[in-house]
Amino acid sequence: MSDAIPASDTRAAAGAFEAAHGVTQHVDVAVVGAGFAGLYLLHRLRKAGFSVVGMDEADDVGGTWYWNRYPGARCDIQTVDYSYSFDPELERDWTWSEKYATQPEILRYLGFVADRYDLRRDIRFGTKVIAANWDDATARWLLTTSNGANVSCRYYIMATGCLSAPKPPEIDGVKDFKGEVYFTSRWPHQGVDLKGKRVAVIGTGSSGIQSIPIIAEQAAHLTVFQRTPNFALPAHNGQVPAERAAQLQQDRATFREQARWSMAGVPLPPATELSFQLSDAERRARFEKLWAAGDLVGMLTQLWADQATDPEANALLAELFREKIRSIVRDPETAEALCPNDHPFGSKRPCLDTNYYATFNRPNVTLVNLRKEPITAITPSGIKTGQRSIDVDVIVLATGFDAMTGAITAVHPITGRSGKSLTELWAHGPQTYLGLTVAGFPNLFLITGPGSPSVLSNMAVSIEQHVDWVVDRLIELRAAGFTTVEATETAQAGWARHMADCATLTLHRLANTWYTGANVPGKPQGVMPYTGGVGPYRSICNEIASKGMLGFRLTGPTVAEQCNDGEVVRLQPDVRLVLNMLAQMNLPPIESMGAQGARDFIAEFNKSRPAGRPVGEVKDGTLTGADGPLPYRLYRPATPGPHGIVVYFHGGGWVLGDEQSDDPFCRDLCRRSGLIFVSVGYRHAPEHRFPAAAEDGLAATRWVAEHASELGSRPGPLMVAGWSAGANIAAVTCQLARDRGGPEIAGQLLVCPVTDCRFDRPSYSDNAAGYFLTRSLMFWFWDIYCSPADRSDPRVSPLRGKLAGLPPAYVVTCEFDPLRDEGIAYAEALQKAGVAVEQLQARGHFHSSFPMVDVVLTSASGRAQMANALRRFAGLGQDNQSQRSDPTTFNAAAE
Ligand code: N01
């Protein structure tokens, strides 16, 4: 990078001269793309004193809005949100005429921005970068261009967009067709006269759905070839909604800031109620409101909290959509063909339309359902399906894009260090760090690259965040004397893992879409955008910067190399959100509250959690403990009985909680396993110290065994289960039952168990603080329950007991839990003693992950595995039901 930076206009003039004369143009930064991202980059880089050249294949600014000029093209994020926010004066000086602006208006806006900051003078239009090579010796990129001089730059920034490379239709015979063929994404600037013509549209994504109603008004006849029916919501376009405009006017800064920290880049608070907490009528009312408002982001995020994560919750919404389609489209067969039924709502990009479904009531419109009669060829006169030939004059291809990666790999080759080729590196799918950088490709940045929130967010907000982050870093690196910045392999692999963890929470895996690469034959498949949300992504980027560029290697000719290597997110994404939320609450340590204060706090805390899911019956009763009656709560499955039975012990360090405090967890395990759960209100310390809880555990288990048939259980041994100190009681109960004559126990489920009084295992120091259950809280629990002299008694430290002859065990431990290592030690010791043991070591989870049902969604498939273990103990087969509403394929295997 140049030390003394001449005024950028001098540079630009020099650049223009070099370009015109075929001499390699030298700049600090080359920016490819003159759309939303490229324009803002140029503005910021120039302001920061970097010399810059922009390049774009198009003849003017606009990016995607330059090319996509098909009839009906509009944005489908409300335009007040789909705007730059970096300059309040720019915002003040531009007013959108409609809620969802048309393509010409958006293009005018981008032209207005380019003029306002005089950006065009640094852009070489009609210029394609055709190859990019990193030169280690000079630590610069050399870009080969299609037009004029090549470019040598320190930093190469691809602002090439996610949906820029049109996808060929993969249908034989297009070249033979004698009529006119148009891609929506390359629509002629002068427009197309379709009046009186027979037109075919292939494709019913956003482009098809926006253009079809308008084409139908012009054409003599329109035939729509649909492969996958899509969800479309009426835009109800018009003026910017008064309420939204007022919100923006009153406090623009807050409005924009909320968008920056939101999940989708639009300032809407997330829905909090879960689908099953709302009645049918309430769900319908919410749906109708958003349908009438024509708010796509609202429909994607505001209905109920589990709409995008739980297939059953999503199916409720999908059915409301189908009802609407059937009510609009008169011909029942056409209506049915238009009903999306092979993917959850939102897993494939839904559309915003104007009169789309009603268009199929027109006499001049026909729908061809390609699921029933696939296209076999395009012929000179039209389109042939398996059943017929349809002659047309014009074919419109609304067949989409080679999304996310297409525009990047179109520059070929891009070679990084040691001649490494990006196409080869991405042969099995794109790999990036943050979607912004690639290991082995120093000083290359991708704006909205695969791995960034990009297309799952309001692009305007994501683009500004990316650009600000990149330019801020370049300024800092320059100040520190660094000339190269490069992601490390460790950081990139960690990002891939985090991406996968986020994606398993969503329903994107259940659809074949351009998000996953499934729309392009042969393209490697996987969810390409970051699904963790705009706000969380922003906080991760900020964390990387604040930790000295975590995961990047920085070098410079006059400074020592710096590399703070590591993975930025090792927690599961929802665990990270929960812990961040708890940290923000700045709660006093639980151990400072006293036993009663802590109990009150937990009771209050539990009130704010999502209610547990419905089960067949919930019944409270009293059983006989070791020293008198104890309360219990019974959860019975909705399936016909009799069922097997599980005695459950809640968590709370022998001090806190009661038979109801793990209510959502018990309900969830009851539903998934089809077993009765009896949660026991055993006695607590300090009122009842060691060994009260242990003795109650055995007594309660005996009582349940003796009253099993009254409780609705089938004959046979029961199971025990517990979480945390409750798992300690369950483990101890198995030992006592073996030694004291029963009852017979068929299996033990131990979730994050306390098993030993030694505190020097690594997890006690690795996870001492910051993961809710702290080391000092554990010390407090131990002190209240058990005096040091008693601690090695197997009734509180079961790891020190005799382990042979115990029932089979399923032991669950969490990576970020002080109790992790003693849980693993217990599982290993059981195994050594000849007990059948299975382990689940949950990667990225914390002590409370599993009981936090409907909050830590990534723990759901772990619970499904626990339920299946219990069923195996009970001698029942694996229950597919337990996997039914599972948002994840569990990836928590031991690392
Ligand atoms: O492309 P698409 P698009 N034979 O991929 C079908 C954004 N956008 O240009 O689903 C038959 O969504 C294909 O069928 P299937 C927005 O993010 C935004 O419409 O693969 N059919 C599908 O129906 C959007 O999601 C706006 O089975 C074939 C269609 O073509 C993204 O761009 C406006 C086929 C392609 O749909 C892409 O939208 C427009 C074949 N061989 C676009 N090949 C805004 O409003 C493909 N299809 C901001």
Side-chain angles (χ1 to χ4, degrees):
M1 185 184 304
S2 47
D3 292 325
I5 292 146
S8 58
D9 49 357
T10 319
R11 280 277 173 138
F17 175 83
E18 288 161 347
H21 291 78
V23 182
T24 296
Q25 186 177 0
H26 286 259
V27 287
D28 294 330
V29 191
V31 172
V32 183
F36 257 96
L39 293 181
Y40 183 43
L41 269 165
L42 282 181
H43 172 63
R44 276 233 48 201
L45 287 162
R46 275 197 337 201
K47 257 182 93 174
F50 292 99
S51 60
V52 196
V53 63
M55 282 167 276
D56 200 298
E57 198 184 339
D59 289 332
D60 199 356
V61 299
T64 195
W65 299 106
Y66 173 91
W67 297 105
N68 286 271
R69 296 171 187 242
Y70 59 84
R74 289 176 185 274
C75 62
D76 51 14
I77 300 266
Q78 295 195 22
T79 8
V80 288
D81 298 304
Y82 191 66
S83 308
Y84 290 114
S85 70
F86 64 87
D87 181 350
E89 286 178 19
L90 166 68
E91 291 206 63
R92 193 198 55 208
D93 292 351
W94 181 269
T95 306
W96 293 103
S97 68
E98 287 182 285
K99 180 166 82 162
Y100 297 109
T102 59
Q103 173 270 335
E105 187 174 9
I106 302 172
L107 194 57
R108 272 201 306 281
Y109 171 68
L110 292 171
F112 169 78
V113 171
D115 289 341
R116 186 180 182 99
Y117 304 105
D118 188 18
L119 301 175
R120 284 192 180 87
R121 71 184 154 92
D122 277 344
I123 306 173
R124 286 168 54 183
F125 292 109
T127 303
K128 242 167 117 170
V129 172
I130 50 181
N133 298 292
W134 170 254
D135 178 12
D136 258 333
T138 56
R140 294 180 75 86
W141 283 95
L142 181 66
L143 311 184
T144 310
T145 69
S146 63
N147 183 3
N150 293 340
V151 173
S152 165
C153 53
R154 178 73 70 206
Y155 297 102
Y156 170 32
I157 309 186
M158 298 189 79
T160 40
C162 298
L163 295 155
S164 319
K167 177 189 87 87
E170 305 112 16
I171 304 169
D172 288 342
V174 181
K175 285 202 177 72
D176 304 332
F177 181 61
K178 296 277 186 264
E180 304 155 57
V181 179
Y182 302 103
F183 275 91
T184 46
S185 52
R186 291 290 180 271
W187 202 256
H189 287 201
Q190 66 280 15
V192 180
D193 183 9
L194 298 172
K195 212 162 145 220
K197 293 188 177 155
R198 296 164 303 167
V199 181
V201 174
I202 302 179
T204 52
S206 298
S207 307
I209 283 176
Q210 285 186 334
S211 58
I212 282 165
I214 296 177
I215 294 175
E217 284 170 9
Q218 299 168 3
H221 194 91
L222 168 65
T223 311
V224 176
F225 293 82
Q226 172 196 271
R227 191 161 66 184
T228 308
N230 219 332
F231 292 97
L233 173 75
H236 298 304
N237 204 12
Q239 295 201 325
V240 175
E243 185 195 333
R244 213 155 168 72
Q247 242 180 323
L248 186 64
Q249 288 310 327
Q250 274 159 20
D251 189 353
R252 192 172 290 271
T254 304
F255 186 96
R256 295 297 184 208
E257 196 59 10
Q258 281 173 352
R260 291 180 188 121
W261 289 98
S262 67
M263 288 304 275
V266 176
L268 293 173
T272 49
E273 286 104 335
L274 295 150
S275 54
F276 58 87
Q277 292 175 284
L278 300 167
S279 67
D280 282 353
E282 285 169 326
R283 284 196 297 266
R284 188 175 288 275
R286 287 183 180 203
F287 175 82
E288 290 290 353
K289 191 171 165 206
L290 287 163
W291 181 273
D295 182 349
L296 186 59
V297 179
M299 194 61 104
L300 281 161
T301 58
Q302 301 287 291
L303 284 169
W304 36 89
D306 47 351
Q307 68 180 82
T309 53
D310 182 336
E312 286 174 31
N314 191 283
L316 297 165
L317 152 63
E319 190 49 35
L320 291 169
F321 257 99
R322 288 188 286 266
E323 271 182 31
K324 284 286 185 198
I325 297 169
R326 292 180 191 119
S327 74
I328 299 169
V329 180
R330 284 189 221 114
D331 173 49
E333 196 185 334
T334 307
E336 230 27 64
L338 287 165
C339 283
N341 51 25
D342 72 345
H343 63 276
F345 174 77
S347 61
K348 191 179 178 87
R349 175 68 140 74
C351 308
L352 203 61
D353 76 278
T354 301
N355 296 330
Y356 176 64
Y357 293 116
T359 297
F360 293 91
N361 293 332
R362 292 175 67 104
N364 70 331
V365 176
T366 313
L367 179 71
V368 175
N369 181 352
L370 300 181
R371 295 276 179 227
K372 286 199 172 152
E373 45 173 318
I375 296 175
T376 51
I378 292 180
T379 64
S381 61
I383 297 174
K384 209 168 156 202
T385 72
Q387 293 178 12
R388 53 186 152 157
S389 290
I390 297 161
D391 287 349
V392 292
D393 305 308
V394 179
I395 298 178
V396 175
L397 296 168
T399 42
F401 300 88
D402 179 358
M404 311 286 303
T405 54
I408 298 169
T409 53
V411 177
H412 186 71
I414 299 178
T415 52
R417 269 198 207 288
S418 320
K420 190 174 183 177
S421 143
L422 189 71
T423 319
E424 275 168 35
L425 180 74
W426 285 9
H428 302 293
Q431 297 173 46
T432 68
Y433 184 33
L434 301 173
L436 293 175
T437 59
V438 185
F441 293 78
N443 295 4
L444 168 68
F445 292 97
L446 313 171
I447 303 298
T448 66
S452 95
S454 62
V455 290
L456 291 176
S457 68
N458 175 357
M459 285 293 255
V461 169
S462 283
I463 282 170
E464 281 192 344
Q465 186 271 340
H466 293 359
V467 169
D468 286 337
W469 193 87
V470 170
V471 178
D472 289 347
R473 300 295 78 75
L474 296 191
I475 294 169
E476 286 165 10
L477 298 180
R478 179 177 62 188
F482 292 114
T483 49
T484 70
V485 49
E486 181 183 351
T488 67
E489 297 284 352
T490 315
Q492 186 161 285
W495 190 247
R497 211 166 11 249
H498 175 58
M499 288 268 299
D501 289 341
C502 293
T504 53
L505 281 172
T506 72
L507 303 178
H508 291 296
R509 69 192 185 285
L510 302 179
N512 290 326
T513 67
W514 58 259
Y515 291 141
T516 65
N519 68 328
V520 176
K523 189 167 174 173
Q525 292 195 30
V527 180
M528 290 185 285
Y530 177 71
T531 56
V534 165
Y537 178 86
R538 177 180 293 270
S539 83
I540 291 168
C541 289
N542 292 351
E543 187 179 330
I544 287 170
S546 73
K547 288 186 173 163
M549 290 296 274
L550 177 65
F552 284 101
R553 178 170 291 106
L554 314 177
T555 60
T558 56
V559 286
E561 178 177 313
Q562 177 187 313
C563 182
N564 180 12
D565 202 1
E567 294 173 42
V568 62
V569 185
R570 292 179 55 211
L571 293 166
Q572 290 292 331
D574 39 11
V575 170
R576 182 174 180 274
L577 289 181
V578 167
L579 290 173
N580 282 349
M581 203 185 69
L582 287 168
Q584 273 167 18
M585 288 163 81
N586 214 3
L587 299 167
I590 292 176
E591 58 272 30
S592 70
M593 299 176 184
Q596 193 50 49
R599 286 172 192 162
D600 296 343
F601 167 77
I602 293 292
E604 207 46 43
F605 192 76
N606 282 347
K607 280 189 198 155
S608 61
R609 71 185 168 185
R613 296 192 176 228
V615 293
E617 184 193 16
V618 177
K619 201 175 90 175
D620 293 329
T622 306
L623 53 76
T624 308
D627 189 30
L630 298 175
Y632 73 82
R633 175 164 276 200
L634 179 142
Y635 301 87
R636 193 184 310 287
T639 50
H643 307 92
I645 198 161
V646 180
V647 184
Y648 177 83
F649 301 101
H650 66 81
W654 308 285
V655 177
L656 313 175
D658 55 35
E659 72 283 1
Q660 300 179 26
S661 56
D662 291 350
D663 185 82
F665 190 32
C666 289
R667 287 171 183 265
D668 192 70
L669 288 178
C670 166
R671 282 163 63 90
R672 289 175 186 275
S673 65
L675 299 167
I676 297 169
F677 269 65
V678 177
S679 173
V680 178
Y682 56 88
R683 286 172 296 160
H684 289 153
E687 295 83 352
H688 306 281
R689 302 190 78 215
F690 172 83
E695 295 297 339
D696 277 350
L698 177 66
T701 306
R702 276 195 177 143
W703 186 91
V704 173
E706 284 157 13
H707 296 79
S709 62
E710 287 158 48
L711 297 173
S713 171
R714 63 193 176 86
L718 43 58
M719 278 74 61
V720 293
W723 167 57
S724 192
N728 169 274
I729 296 170
V732 169
T733 296
C734 291
Q735 296 191 12
L736 296 180
R738 176 200 56 197
D739 298 341
R740 297 191 194 166
E744 193 185 339
I745 296 174
Q748 47 181 327
L749 167 64
L750 311 178
V751 184
C752 305
V754 182
T755 71
D756 194 24
C757 57
R758 240 181 69 193
F759 309 116
D760 58 354
R761 293 184 177 85
S763 59
Y764 248 92
S765 36
D766 294 351
N767 306 319
Y771 303 107
F772 198 56
L773 178 66
T774 61
R775 176 161 112 154
S776 75
L777 180 57
M778 273 314 297
F779 288 171
W780 185 69
F781 285 143
W782 273 100
D783 287 345
I784 292 180
Y785 180 54
C786 191
S787 52
D790 291 328
R791 289 188 186 176
S792 53
D793 189 312
R795 285 177 297 169
V796 69
S797 291
L799 185 58
R800 292 168 191 248
K802 183 184 137 206
L803 301 182
L806 289 174
Y810 194 84
V811 182
V812 180
T813 50
C814 291
E815 185 181 4
F816 295 98
D817 180 359
L819 305 184
R820 177 194 68 205
D821 293 344
E822 66 193 80
I824 294 171
Y826 196 61
E828 288 171 352
L830 285 172
Q831 195 154 28
K832 227 167 146 193
V835 177
V837 184
E838 285 177 80
Q839 274 198 66
L840 174 62
Q841 294 182 16
R843 178 175 60 77
H845 282 285
F846 78 134
H847 187 70
S848 302
S849 280
F850 290 104
M852 293 190 94
V853 179
D854 290 315
V855 176
V856 178
L857 300 182
T858 47
S859 68
S861 34
R863 285 192 304 278
Q865 292 182 45
M866 294 174 205
N868 276 326
L870 288 169
R871 288 180 64 81
R872 283 195 298 279
F873 296 152
L876 303 167
Q878 176 149 328
D879 180 18
N880 289 333
Q881 294 290 307
S882 68
Q883 305 283 355
R884 203 176 29 160
S885 64
D886 221 352
T888 67
T889 315
F890 202 67
N891 52 359
E895 297 232 289

